[in-house]
Amino acid sequence: MKNIRIVLVNTSHPGNIGATARAMKNMGLDQLYLVAPKLFPSDEATSRSSGAVDILEGAIVVNSLEEAISDCQLVIGTSARERHIPWPLVDPKQAAEMAHAEQLATAFVFGREDRGLTNEELQRCHYHVHIPSVESFSSLNLGAAVQVIAYELRMHFLAQKGQTVTKKWDVPVASVEQFEYMLEHLERVLVDTEFLDPNAPRQVMTRFRRLYQRAQLDQQEVGMLRGMFSAVDKLVAGATIESAIQKKDR
Ligand code: SAH
């Protein structure tokens, strides 16, 4: 995500710069611009970055927003509040899509902790992005706002590479055939134990099917169930032989 930079304007709390660096590194961003930060570098930023010091060391400190965005092609400003003259508004997901779509040099601009971005600063942005917080308490902590945007950028980046949540499982999922044998085995056991009356089966097997299908059993789990059914088979067979012997003895 080399085409994307994070710009923090006039940050007062160095801790938020550290939190930003951490969020960026977690999500694969590395271009940080700081517009006239109150205090930087600082121990607090370093400590809050939790090891993302390379991002802090690489941060470019400038005096004006202008300098931070002049070589960008797309500028997206973040704001917790609606403004008097509304600007084209997007949500974080749409903003992430835009940032990736044409690989334009893109800046995400974040405001001051106490006052956000001025109207003039926001008007320099092509789009505004609002994280849909509740209206009566809409302002996120600066570091948290960066985290949300960075996360959406990451999700979109992974989706493009076809790498969103890959299911990893240690054992292959059971095939239909393995599943059907297991279910037939279950049915035999249920009949043998007289749980199921073959003359009045009702929907019992359908409901068992639905239950086990919902579990998306793997091959080992099917094997375990079948092992358990065999153990029941054995007990039932033992009990049947015993009662036959008893009858003979009578
Ligand atoms: N009191 C300020 C909020 C500052 S929060 C105001 O009313 O604007 C610090 C920064 O975090 C904001 O400037 C913005 O960049 C970001 N931020 C916080 N909440 C946000 C939200 N809901 N949507 C988008 N950005 C947000």
Side-chain angles (χ1 to χ4, degrees), residues 145-159:
V146 172
Q147 180 72 76
V148 171
I149 299 295
Y151 167 77
E152 289 293 354
L153 286 166
R154 173 98 181 132
M155 285 302 279
H156 202 267
F157 173 75
L158 292 177

Side-chain angles (χ1 to χ4, degrees), residues 78-81 110-114 116 129 131 133 138-140 145:
T78 58
S79 176
R81 323 172 253 133
F110 294 82
R112 303 154 187 83
E113 289 91 334
D114 53 349
V129 55
I131 300 163
S133 44
S138 64
S139 165
L140 277 75

Side-chain angles (χ1 to χ4, degrees), residues 14-183:
N16 282 330
I17 300 178
T20 294
R22 180 182 190 172
M24 288 174 64
K25 190 160 174 151
N26 282 149
M27 299 293 133
L29 290 161
D30 58 10
Q31 318 274 321
L32 176 60
Y33 282 66
L34 302 172
V35 179
K38 294 265 156 63
L39 181 62
F40 186 80
S42 87
D43 289 346
E44 179 151 17
T46 305
S47 123
R48 282 287 298 280
S49 78
S50 298
V53 275
D54 48 332
I55 309 280
L56 293 177
E57 282 165 7
I60 296 173
V61 180
V62 293
N63 290 317
S64 64
L65 176 60
E66 181 90 55
E67 289 170 76
I69 60 173
S70 59
D71 57 337
C72 288
Q73 298 161 294
L74 175 65
V75 182
I76 301 178
T78 58
S79 176
R81 323 172 253 133
E82 272 184 32
R83 303 296 165 132
H84 185 55
I85 303 180
W87 226 242
L89 193 66
V90 292
D91 68 25
K93 206 168 169 203
Q94 291 167 326
E97 275 165 27
M98 284 175 174
H100 287 300
E102 296 175 61
Q103 291 291 302
L104 299 175
T106 303
F108 280 88
V109 184
F110 294 82
R112 303 154 187 83
E113 289 91 334
D114 53 349
R115 292 180 293 122
L117 293 168
T118 63
N119 288 337
E120 292 68 36
E121 285 163 345
L122 270 169
Q123 286 162 11
R124 300 299 305 272
C125 304
H126 300 102
Y127 292 92
H128 291 177
V129 55
H130 174 68
I131 300 163
S133 44
V134 296
E135 227 169 284
S136 55
F137 196 69
S138 64
S139 165
L140 277 75
N141 161 263
L142 173 59
V146 172
Q147 180 72 76
V148 171
I149 299 295
Y151 167 77
E152 289 293 354
L153 286 166
R154 173 98 181 132
M155 285 302 279
H156 202 267
F157 173 75
L158 292 177
Q160 277 181 328
K161 292 206 307 175
Q163 282 184 2
T164 37
V165 201
T166 41
K167 278 196 191 170
K168 285 203 187 101
W169 203 251
D170 51 349
V171 179
V173 172
S175 68
V176 169
E177 188 182 36
Q178 291 164 334
F179 182 87
E180 293 301 329
Y181 283 147
M182 184 279 294
L183 213 62

